[in-house]
Amino acid sequence: MKLVSGVFAALVIATLAACGGTDSGDVSEDLGQVSSALSTCSTTCASGTTVSCSGNSCSSVDGQYVQCNGSYQYCPTTPPPIICSRANTCTFIDGTSCPSVGTYRDCCLSGLPTGSCYCKPGNTWTCTLPPEDP
């Protein structure tokens, strides 16, 4: 029986030695380090809003959508409603500079987005009031 135990002990020691021994060592050194970086993608939609996302991988199509880790976010199909403030009142906008002749934008009258402004030659806004009800 002692012979079998001795052979078994020798077999165990030989196996441990073949597998790198019994030294605990630094596991992270053996396994290496795993890290990943987040990417961010964004696009500006036709309505002026920005759609963005972050993930391990991302892509975008200008003015249409962004995609992160296989999940898509699309640009809204309708523009967001105008929130009336002093900066977008028709009287504040009228006569100020505009980006390009022929473009239109909404403006607010009495706290409601019922006005419209047109970029006229000379690149200034001219604002029109809606017709009055008789």
Side-chain angles (χ1 to χ4, degrees):
M1 185 68 156
K2 280 187 170 186
L3 181 60
V4 172
S5 296
V7 170
F8 181 72
L11 182 61
V12 169
I13 292 171
T15 303
L16 287 174
C19 293
T22 58
D23 183 19
S24 63
D26 185 7
V27 175
S28 65
E29 186 177 290
D30 294 336
L31 297 178
Q33 297 294 323
V34 176
S35 65
S36 62
L38 287 178
S39 299
T40 300
C41 288
S42 65
T43 188
T44 302
C45 305
S47 63
T49 59
T50 300
V51 178
S52 64
C53 65
S54 295
N56 293 328
S57 64
C58 71
S59 63
S60 66
V61 172
D62 288 340
Q64 294 182 20
Y65 67 84
V66 293
Q67 176 273 127
C68 289
N69 298 340
S71 180
Y72 289 80
Q73 289 186 3
Y74 292 91
C75 285
T77 55
T78 57
I82 287 185
I83 298 171
C84 292
S85 67
R86 181 179 186 278
N88 62 7
T89 60
C90 296
T91 54
F92 184 78
I93 296 168
D94 195 41
T96 61
S97 63
C98 53
S100 59
V101 175
T103 58
Y104 283 88
R105 69 170 284 183
D106 293 330
C107 60
C108 296
L109 294 168
S110 303
L112 298 173
T114 55
S116 178
C117 296
Y118 170 76
C119 187
K120 65 182 183 178
N123 291 70
T124 57
W125 290 113
T126 184
C127 298
T128 58
L129 306 177
E132 292 185 28
D133 291 329

